[in-house]
Amino acid sequence: MFEREIYQSHSLDQNGIDDLLSLFCDQKDSFILKSHMNWAEHCTECVMPDCFTSCSFYTPRPDMKCNRFEGGIKVLRDTQRQSILDITFKNWGKLEAAGASKMMTRFSGALYETTDILAAKAVKKLPLSFETGRLLRKKIYGAKNKLGANTGPEHVYAADAFFVEIANPGEKDISLTVTFRNCDNPAAFFQRQFILSSGYHRFQISVSDITRQVDLNQPYLCSFEPVGNDETARLIFGVLDFVRLNPDANMNNSKSSEFSTAPQSTEKKAKCVIWDLDNTLWQGILVEDGIDGLVVNQPAIDFIHALDKKGILNSVASKNNKEDALKVLEKLGLEDMFLYPQISWDPKSQSIANIQQALNIGMDTLVFIDDQIFEREEVKTRHPEIRAFDIADFEAWKNAPLFDVPVSTESAKRRQMYADQIIRETHFEQQDNNDYQDFLTQCQITVEMEPLSETTSRRAFELAQRTNQMNFSGTRYSMDEIQDLTASDIMEAHIIRCKDRFGDYGIVGLAVFNAPEKRLEDLMFSCRIQSKYVDHAVLVDFVDRVGDELSISYKATQKNRKSAQIFEELGFSVTQETNGVQILTRSEDAAPLLNDIVELQHVSE
């Protein structure tokens, strides 16, 4: 819902954003209940009516309110089930709506939106005087605020979340804040900041987090405002409402490879859970109660072991004396369960950033558990993608879908593989000559390629669901599709294993080769082997096998662009592009390729 009575124009600048638009939710299938907040153009410094004469930024709209968006609200798509708005914020511009207390059913919501669409068209066609038209638009705006706020069978307290979907079509990051604020008590507010990189983003804000600060039974406003931008900020908005999710809906559009990690989940699966210690893994405060005064939280300990068996990593972010805390973890038999534990008096957002960088996985695959709302909010303010839970709600979130990950024989080995990597990095840091390629040669990296089989299909499926940074097609194979590859007469599917003198990485990659077309259709690797020349060795092997006739299918995403530099380094360039899929080939005069770091072998099943 938005100011249709004012803006019905369609954005003319849709170049390069068709793929982004395909990622936005189809509300009919995605939600059972949804609020219908009336989003409108506002000014952060509004002092109506004095601004009409005193503000040099004042630019009138058809209703004489101030225009704070470049060209107003531009409408990219508008139906009863989906509205997508294109907004370029000028100085002091903000997108704001009167808060809703109720959510409508899908039928009621569709009827409400249809009525508004027809009313807006009627206002545009009626031969009204300026003043009559202005007053009519004002009446419609007020009526929509009241109906949208109070119509529906369920209160927003019963929502699964406040759902936010935004796309940044530009190249520069944009910092955006969302603020909930009670009208009669401006000091009572909830605020969250998002750092929006280029591409599509989807967030869910916990209703309980909002209601700790804002009374949703009282009138409130919700606003979105870019901050810290030296120039205008263009953003594309979809759903901005409280929702009850449809459990049967596939929220992860298959084209939304950057966002989705599993076809039937509404959010990315967890790859690492980061735990607080005091009053979380144990009851008590270590520096005050001492080791003997602590009471172990056994359900949490059991959960850590269960996660480990699934291949979900665990770590620690705790404000504590490191030496004392490690003694407790050793006493509990947990010293080996946590990777890169961060125990210091630094802000926990910094500790989590250290863990994320060390593990080299997406911030949106991390989960943070802490008993203190201050710590959770401090972390989410800096890292809005992270999921943060209160240990007091353990029973409510322990069975969440984000912990339901594909499990294979590799899963239980994942922690040990990362632990081996810690040893590798420590060894490298201790070298007198930090020549990286020399170090890799000393690592004795061996890669084995073998045909995909029934016994390895589960791990291949897991890779297809979890890989982002080194998934060069963005494909998310289902289990049935993986099994079809094992029997295909056209597609050659290979799993890729890797080991070095420090340990075994296990199955780290999947390659799908179209033999008749001589085209590498899919190539994906676990980020564990990033920068270890494994991708280089595999590509060189295909070039040696096929020669300059080899072509590669590549679809750029925000996550894989950096890793995809390997293609340019090996002399591949774009020769064709269709629907965002690029076909890469090597020129005949490209330099010969060498692989003198990684030993690659072909093995049978």
Side-chain angles (χ1 to χ4, degrees), residues 431-565:
Q431 300 298 301
D432 294 333
N433 177 15
N434 280 4
D435 187 293
Y436 187 62
Q437 291 192 6
D438 285 349
F439 168 68
L440 290 179
T441 302
Q442 296 170 24
C443 287
Q444 302 170 18
I445 301 172
T446 301
V447 167
E448 294 181 348
M449 292 182 64
E450 68 181 61
L452 177 68
S453 65
E454 288 293 331
T455 57
T456 56
S457 60
R458 186 69 185 177
R459 171 56 178 161
F461 168 64
E462 184 183 30
L463 270 171
Q465 295 300 313
R466 295 172 69 96
T467 54
N468 292 290
Q469 298 179 60
M470 301 186 75
N471 185 333
F472 297 117
S473 68
T475 304
R476 302 290 183 194
Y477 284 107
S478 68
M479 191 61 191
D480 288 342
E481 289 170 329
I482 289 289
Q483 292 174 340
D484 288 344
L485 286 174
T486 65
S488 175
D489 294 328
I490 298 175
M491 297 295 184
E492 296 180 9
H494 304 267
I495 58 105
I496 301 163
R497 301 180 186 272
C498 182
K499 60 183 177 181
D500 60 22
R501 69 187 179 93
F502 299 105
D504 192 343
Y505 294 89
I507 297 175
V508 298
L510 174 68
V512 179
F513 181 63
N514 185 328
E517 299 290 336
K518 297 182 179 180
R519 183 167 59 248
L520 193 55
E521 300 284 1
D522 280 292
L523 186 62
M524 55 189 73
F525 296 96
S526 165
C527 60
R528 296 199 304 273
I529 56 84
Q530 195 166 28
S531 301
K532 294 179 175 64
Y533 280 72
V534 173
D535 50 348
H536 178 106
V538 171
L539 286 168
V540 170
D541 184 76
F542 273 101
V543 172
D544 288 345
R545 171 183 170 182
V546 182
D548 291 333
E549 294 181 77
L550 176 69
S551 63
I552 300 173
S553 293
Y554 168 60
K555 185 172 184 178
T557 68
Q558 286 300 113
K559 293 291 181 69
N560 72 20
R561 284 176 180 168
K562 183 176 180 180
S563 299
Q565 293 174 0

Side-chain angles (χ1 to χ4, degrees), residues 1-18:
M1 179 68 69
F2 64 98
E3 292 179 292
R4 290 189 178 98
E5 65 276 10
I6 302 295
Y7 295 116
Q8 299 180 58
S9 61
H10 288 259
S11 172
L12 300 178
D13 182 15
Q14 297 192 30
N15 291 332
I17 64 172
D18 287 343

Side-chain angles (χ1 to χ4, degrees), residues 38-219:
N38 185 26
W39 295 97
E41 181 181 30
H42 284 274
C43 176
T44 60
E45 300 295 330
C46 183
V47 286
M48 289 180 61
D50 295 339
C51 58
F52 293 172
T53 57
S54 63
C55 179
S56 59
F57 286 97
Y58 172 66
T59 306
R61 308 189 319 176
D63 60 349
M64 298 304 293
K65 291 182 180 179
C66 186
N67 170 238
R68 299 309 323 141
F69 300 156
E70 194 75 47
I73 295 177
K74 300 173 185 177
V75 185
L76 295 172
R77 188 172 299 157
D78 190 24
T79 67
Q80 63 175 224
R81 48 198 281 182
Q82 188 181 53
S83 295
I84 302 178
L85 310 180
D86 186 351
I87 295 173
T88 301
F89 293 81
K90 297 192 290 188
N91 287 336
W92 298 354
K94 66 176 177 179
L95 184 65
E96 187 170 80
S101 60
K102 296 292 184 66
M103 295 183 290
M104 298 184 193
T105 63
R106 286 180 290 192
F107 175 81
S108 297
L111 181 62
Y112 182 46
E113 296 284 350
T114 301
T115 302
D116 187 45
I117 291 171
L118 295 175
K121 290 181 178 179
V123 169
K124 187 176 182 179
K125 292 180 179 179
L126 288 174
L128 303 172
S129 67
F130 171 81
E131 185 61 21
T132 301
R134 186 180 72 84
L135 291 175
L136 180 58
R137 291 184 178 95
K138 183 177 180 180
K139 290 285 187 182
I140 292 174
Y141 177 77
K144 286 162 60 175
N145 282 346
K146 290 182 180 178
L147 284 171
N150 302 300
T151 304
E154 293 250 16
H155 198 284
V156 295
Y157 278 123
D160 289 332
F162 185 80
F163 197 94
V164 178
E165 58 174 356
I166 307 173
N168 174 6
E171 293 297 324
K172 294 184 178 180
D173 290 356
I174 294 176
S175 179
L176 184 78
T177 60
V178 56
T179 305
F180 290 82
R181 190 185 302 272
N182 280 126
C183 299
D184 58 353
N185 182 16
F189 70 95
F190 167 88
Q191 191 168 78
R192 179 71 50 77
Q193 183 178 17
F194 305 115
I195 307 298
L196 303 172
S197 58
S198 179
Y200 174 78
H201 302 268
R202 190 182 294 173
F203 306 99
Q204 295 184 46
I205 302 175
S206 168
V207 176
S208 61
D209 285 351
I210 298 170
T211 55
R212 287 189 181 99
Q213 310 295 328
V214 178
D215 185 352
L216 300 184
N217 283 311
Q218 301 299 320

Side-chain angles (χ1 to χ4, degrees), residues 13-47:
D13 182 15
Q14 297 192 30
N15 291 332
I17 64 172
D18 287 343
D19 286 345
L20 287 177
L21 297 183
S22 69
L23 306 182
F24 283 76
C25 294
D26 184 330
Q27 299 179 34
K28 179 177 181 293
D29 299 323
S30 301
F31 311 121
I32 297 174
L33 297 170
K34 187 175 80 70
S35 63
H36 286 258
M37 295 165 68
N38 185 26
W39 295 97
E41 181 181 30
H42 284 274
C43 176
T44 60
E45 300 295 330
C46 183
V47 286

